[in-house]
Amino acid sequence: MTHQGEVLLAVNGLQTYFHTDDGVVKSVDGVTFHIKKGETLAVVGESGSGKSVTSLSIMRLIPMPPGKIEGGEILFTGKDGVQKNLVTLPEAEMRRIRGNDISMIFQEPMTSLNPVYTVGDQIGEAVMLHQGKSKREALEVATEMLRLVGIPAPEKRVHEYPHQMSGGMRQRVMIAMALSCNPALLIADEPTTALDVTIQAQILDLMRKLQQEIGMSILFITHNLGVVAEMADRVVVMYGGRVVEEGDVVEIFKAPRHPYTMGLLNSIPRAGDAAHVPGQPKQRLEAIPGNVPNPLQLPPGCPFEPRCKFAIEACSEAVPPLFDTGGGHVSRCIRWQEFEQAQHEVNA
Amino acid sequence: MTRTVITTDPGDVSVAAQTPAVAAAPQTAETLLEVNNLQKYFPIRGGLFSRVVGNVKAVNDVSFKLGRGEVVGLVGESGSGKTTAGRAILRLIEPTGGQVIFNGTDITRLSKAQMRDYRREMQIIFQDPFASLNPRMTVADIIGEAMQIHNLHPGKERLERIAELLSKVGLRPEHMRRYPHEFSGGQRQRIGIARALAVNPSFIVADEPVSALDVSIQAQVVNLLQDLQEELGLTVLFIAHDLAVVEYICDRIIVMYLGRVMEIAPSRELNTNPKHPYTEALLSAAPVPDPTVKRQRIILEGDIPSPINPPSGCVFRTRCRYAIDDCAKVVPELREVGPGHFKACIRDDIL
Ligand SMILES: Nc1ncnc2c1ncn2[C@@H]1O[C@H](COP(=O)(O)OP(=O)(O)OP(=O)(O)O)[C@@H](O)[C@H]1O
Ligand SMILES: Nc1ncnc2c1ncn2[C@@H]1O[C@H](COP(=O)(O)OP(=O)(O)O)[C@@H](O)[C@H]1O
Ligand code: SF4
Ligand code: SF4
Ligand SMILES: [Mg+2]
Ligand SMILES: [Mg+2]
């Protein structure tokens, strides 16, 4: 790592497996990436590609059994400035990190909000635990946090229960809770997937504002490429439990070096430019053929080979390594140089 | 404490004064479906005697027409009444008021027995590919069920028809002996499509058929629906959140908000030249998949209001950045503001 001082979190060769009745699911198999201070890293990939297992591994919230972190390290530098390996950290120390140094927000707010406590009590609890504040002070912090995330009449809302709020408001409460202790890292696992575009726009706007104020790093998990383009500085693309491409957000969108990333970009409908004109044949989306791979039956070679239109014989021989394509851009495809060549020719 | 019970019984709701039906005309000559002043209220019961204490006005005075072979999108935020409208049109739930004229017949007046033939003509594809298939039935049973009800393709012919349908939706005939849990989300949605097509319908309500799917799979299913629509000349009401998806597949788009139609226009026109402030905001809210584009977006404040007590006048006025005092006074009528372009907004000095 060249910018040692700036790196907040470094995940190296992480392997998280689930031992199920049907066999071993290698949900995360040798995942490596890092996040710098103040940066937003997006992790994209189809459902089942290992995004959530990666984030739960960082939080050490993998259900054990059947899950287990089998290998690799997760190096994190907390507020105390000391670098720790979260894989081997004792649970007591891990508890101090969760909610204090690293917070997480989930896709479905009700999974992390407790229906029997008021939102004020829930936000306040973390504040009392990690900041040693009194109950009254904690309630004040909770009220301030609700105001910060744009909940109207926070003095009143702080005494309400989660079910009294709409989906968008609950998501705000969860963000308020996650940010109440000024974490260095916020992990957001599909925080807007269940929301309407109008509410999504509110939440993304809020997250950007708060990031500027608090200066935290964000690990943003999503499968929505529009959201990635809007939020990310860098992007990690996962497929079948592995990183298949990583790079700067503009590079990933403008010069992808992996066929899966290219396929994803081609398959998104883009508002406006393809709208159907009466009397003309309708345009079509370019779909990636086939299905998401079965994690128990991954092919021996490149995991994308069964769906890849560029596949050649060599692709099924061994899992391709991560190739450094320059400028911090990596690709797990043996043909990446040809894509680079082709893109140059198109641009020339 | 008063317990509030929401039932699906239409109950004794008072039907509000209706505005005249608007002939938001389809682009093809022949009209297949005409929806006039459609209304669906869900009564809220409470108190000691379970009296009706209010109504969820899920669909309130919705009118539009679909031409034969037309694909029309129905978009709007969660809770805007899209699913309710789709189901009321098919009489899967009973409309509280209004007409649904299918092929010249007002089907809201038909008896259950008379509805049977129309049920074959009008099918639905559900949003959730995981919840909409009975886990204890094989694919053959699921697809064959409606054929059975309508006495179509009896005997050996039925299995042939099921095999043919499976191939049509991109699955294999041998899949018919399997159960839903053996399939991925995209494959289940294909089964749902085959089920809807099993009885040769002419009209399909597709209720968010791709919303629950991954991007790459979403594109496959959108393309499949497009192929089938063209091949079979289907008329489709395509319900979605996502304007970008709808544009690919639809000829025209209807935008709903809080139970009412805000705007109707041809797809490209709606996208490039929205005339209603709500459509403008919806388009602006969608994130653009291009990191080099940084645009100023319109952020709508707050949430969609409760459909129990919708705002007076224009239902969008509590979130509209162009609202003026007059917006609270009357419900704006859906007016034609360009060829085939309708909006329910009183202001013509904006957009
Ligand atoms: N059976 C019911 N009883 C009472 N209210 C209902 C019932 N079904 C729907 N509603 C209400 O009617 C309104 C419209 O719901 P509907 O499901 O049609 O919305 P939608 O536009 O399809 O939303 P989504 O995008 O979330 O699917 C909502 O306020 C909903 O809560
Ligand atoms: N508790 C569990 N038990 C067994 N398998 C699991 C468990 N949690 C996740 N998996 C498997 O791990 C893989 C990756 O899952 P996940 O990280 O949740 O995917 P996503 O990228 O959609 O977030 C999937 O194959 C999933 O089925
Ligand atoms: S290694 Fe081969 S199969 Fe895999 S993505 Fe590259 S070209 Fe396709
Ligand atoms: S009628 Fe008024 S409130 Fe409604 S959309 Fe038009 S300007 Fe906005
Ligand atoms: Mg996940
Ligand atoms: Mg719905």
Side-chain angles (χ1 to χ4, degrees):
Chain A
M1 212 96 8
T2 43
H3 309 284
Q4 193 67 36
E6 292 179 22
V7 172
L8 178 72
L9 175 87
V11 174
N12 295 323
L14 180 69
Q15 290 174 310
T16 306
Y17 297 173
F18 288 92
H19 299 267
T20 71
D21 293 345
D22 299 326
V24 179
V25 179
K26 298 182 176 180
S27 302
V28 170
D29 202 10
V31 163
T32 298
F33 62 82
H34 67 273
I35 305 177
K36 294 182 206 155
K37 288 210 167 101
E39 179 182 57
T40 299
L41 178 75
V43 178
V44 291
E46 271 160 309
S47 65
S49 59
K51 307 182 295 292
S52 295
V53 172
T54 301
S55 56
L56 291 174
S57 301
I58 296 170
M59 291 292 273
R60 279 259 304 274
L61 291 173
I62 293 290
M64 275 191 239
K68 188 163 187 277
I69 298 179
E70 308 267 350
E73 52 181 17
I74 300 170
L75 303 176
F76 177 73
T77 309
K79 288 177 183 170
D80 56 8
V82 181
Q83 191 184 62
K84 304 178 182 85
N85 181 0
L86 303 187
V87 172
T88 53
L89 206 64
E91 178 56 29
E93 268 195 71
M94 200 58 219
R95 230 172 294 155
R96 277 198 292 277
I97 286 187
R98 269 186 226 120
N100 188 31
D101 291 276
I102 309 178
S103 287
M104 184 155 176
I105 54 181
F106 299 88
Q107 171 166 357
E108 179 37 67
M110 284 317 267
T111 56
S112 49
L113 292 178
N114 192 326
V116 302
Y117 292 103
T118 65
V119 301
D121 284 346
Q122 294 185 59
I123 299 172
E125 193 186 76
V127 176
M128 289 196 293
L129 179 72
H130 295 301
Q131 301 186 351
K133 296 217 156 116
S134 73
K135 193 162 173 161
R136 208 178 48 86
E137 287 167 331
L139 192 68
E140 272 167 31
V141 173
T143 311
E144 263 329 290
M145 289 309 297
L146 291 183
R147 193 188 314 282
L148 187 68
V149 298
I151 291 198
E155 305 79 8
K156 185 171 146 269
R157 289 290 187 171
V158 79
H159 300 294
E160 287 185 359
Y161 293 88
H163 73 262
Q164 293 172 281
M165 302 182 155
S166 69
M169 269 161 91
R170 283 182 207 146
Q171 204 59 281
R172 282 161 190 271
V173 168
M174 204 157 58
I175 293 175
M177 192 153 84
L179 299 187
S180 58
C181 295
N182 297 326
L185 174 65
L186 176 69
I187 301 177
D189 191 351
E190 312 247 9
T192 59
T193 303
L195 303 175
D196 275 309
V197 282
T198 54
I199 309 297
Q200 169 172 286
Q202 291 174 0
I203 300 288
L204 296 183
D205 193 51
L206 172 69
M207 286 180 71
R208 263 191 307 254
K209 273 196 198 122
L210 295 176
Q211 184 177 31
Q212 276 165 15
E213 273 170 43
I214 301 170
M216 66 196 169
S217 307
I218 301 179
L219 179 64
F220 201 115
I221 296 173
T222 179
H223 62 256
N224 184 327
L225 290 166
V227 172
V228 172
E230 203 131 294
M231 299 295 287
D233 299 308
R234 275 186 313 121
V235 183
V236 162
V237 183
M238 284 186 73
Y239 192 83
R242 294 199 174 88
V243 173
V244 295
E245 185 161 11
E246 182 192 336
D248 168 81
V249 66
V250 177
E251 282 254 324
I252 292 286
F253 277 79
K254 301 292 174 184
R257 299 272 188 271
H258 193 282
Y260 174 61
T261 315
M262 296 179 202
L264 272 187
L265 288 167
N266 287 336
S267 61
I268 33 176
R270 286 159 200 270
D273 52 61
H276 171 51
V277 181
Q280 283 179 22
K282 287 179 188 171
Q283 288 201 41
R284 302 177 59 79
L285 291 169
E286 199 184 315
I288 302 176
N291 291 306
V292 179
N294 176 346
L296 285 166
Q297 292 167 5
L298 288 177
C302 170
F304 190 55
E305 188 267 337
R307 303 173 72 187
C308 181
K309 64 176 175 185
F310 300 104
I312 51 175
E313 222 166 289
C315 300
S316 35
E317 279 161 17
V319 176
L322 274 176
F323 295 95
D324 186 346
T325 78
H329 192 158
V330 296
S331 163
R332 200 183 280 283
C333 172
I334 58 172
R335 300 188 68 183
W336 70 270
Q337 277 164 313
E338 297 169 59
F339 307 136
E340 185 178 47
Q341 195 69 40
Q343 276 151 2
H344 276 307
E345 279 158 22
V346 169
N347 293 340
Chain B
M1 204 180 99
T2 320
R3 258 200 61 195
T4 304
V5 185
I6 297 181
T7 67
T8 48
D9 173 15
D12 56 337
V13 292
S14 58
V15 175
Q18 295 185 341
T19 52
V22 174
Q27 289 167 338
T28 43
E30 191 195 346
T31 299
L32 178 70
L33 178 82
E34 187 174 338
V35 176
N36 292 328
N37 310 104
L38 186 70
Q39 225 172 18
K40 178 64 195 180
Y41 287 6
F42 295 101
I44 307 163
R45 291 174 192 277
L48 209 49
F49 303 104
S50 279
R51 266 200 288 267
V52 174
V53 294
N55 283 295
V56 178
K57 295 166 185 154
V59 172
N60 213 349
D61 202 8
V62 164
S63 301
F64 59 85
K65 285 181 183 178
L66 300 193
R68 193 180 285 280
E70 221 191 355
V71 184
V72 174
L74 186 59
V75 299
E77 276 168 286
S78 183
S80 58
K82 308 177 297 291
T83 297
T84 306
R87 293 185 178 202
I89 288 168
L90 300 181
R91 277 187 70 190
L92 295 175
I93 50 176
E94 288 302 330
T96 308
Q99 294 177 311
V100 177
I101 300 169
F102 185 81
N103 241 341
T105 306
D106 181 0
I107 61 163
T108 61
R109 293 162 167 271
L110 299 181
S111 68
K112 279 222 162 70
Q114 288 171 314
M115 255 319 275
R116 242 180 82 141
D117 290 341
Y118 288 89
R119 293 236 178 274
R120 194 192 64 68
E121 289 279 335
M122 311 168 83
Q123 291 290 313
I124 185 163
I125 301 168
F126 294 98
Q127 167 163 6
D128 186 347
F130 293 89
S132 63
L133 303 175
N134 184 336
R136 280 182 292 278
M137 285 166 77
T138 64
V139 169
D141 293 340
I142 288 168
I143 298 175
E145 194 178 27
M147 294 184 196
Q148 173 111 32
I149 293 169
H150 294 285
N151 289 321
L152 293 171
H153 313 286
K156 197 166 89 36
E157 208 188 303
R158 184 160 303 159
L159 287 183
E160 282 166 22
R161 172 73 179 148
I162 293 170
E164 183 196 325
L165 281 163
L166 285 173
S167 312
K168 220 182 210 29
V169 298
L171 294 171
R172 287 195 303 273
E174 61 265 30
H175 283 145
M176 76 170 83
R177 282 183 295 276
R178 299 206 193 151
Y179 290 88
H181 74 262
E182 296 174 64
F183 296 90
S184 67
Q187 288 174 320
R188 286 185 221 202
Q189 206 50 295
R190 290 172 191 269
I191 297 168
I193 294 170
R195 170 173 63 184
L197 295 178
V199 292
N200 301 320
S202 52
F203 172 59
I204 287 187
V205 172
D207 190 359
E208 311 223 23
V210 298
S211 301
L213 305 177
D214 274 312
V215 222
S216 73
I217 307 298
Q218 183 174 310
Q220 292 177 3
V221 177
V222 166
N223 286 344
L224 171 67
L225 280 169
Q226 202 164 314
D227 286 343
L228 293 170
Q229 188 274 329
E230 281 165 15
E231 184 189 330
L232 306 171
L234 296 168
T235 306
V236 182
L237 186 65
F238 192 102
I239 299 175
H241 278 85
D242 186 352
L243 268 165
V245 169
V246 167
E247 273 174 13
Y248 265 81
I249 189 159
C250 296
D251 301 300
R252 287 187 302 136
I253 298 174
I254 302 168
V255 181
M256 271 184 85
Y257 184 79
L258 214 55
R260 292 182 184 272
V261 173
M262 298 290 109
E263 186 163 8
I264 302 181
S267 292
R268 171 157 292 207
E269 168 78 3
L270 189 93
N271 187 276
T272 52
N273 189 19
K275 290 288 183 201
H276 195 285
Y278 179 57
T279 313
E280 183 198 32
L282 263 190
L283 286 167
S284 161
V288 186
D290 184 344
T292 58
V293 174
K294 294 277 175 249
R295 43 172 209 169
Q296 201 54 42
R297 65 171 26 105
I298 304 162
I299 307 261
L300 284 183
E301 302 277 319
D303 292 312
I304 187 164
S306 159
I308 299 170
N309 283 310
S312 67
C314 173
V315 285
F316 185 56
R317 72 179 164 80
T318 54
R319 296 167 86 194
C320 179
R321 58 186 188 143
Y322 306 105
I324 51 175
D325 287 349
D326 279 350
C327 300
K329 289 180 187 148
V330 283
V331 177
E333 107 186 72
L334 197 58
R335 306 177 281 135
E336 188 157 15
V337 291
H341 195 154
F342 299 79
K343 77 162 177 181
C345 167
I346 59 168
R347 290 190 64 174
D348 285 327
D349 55 332
I350 50 168
L351 297 169

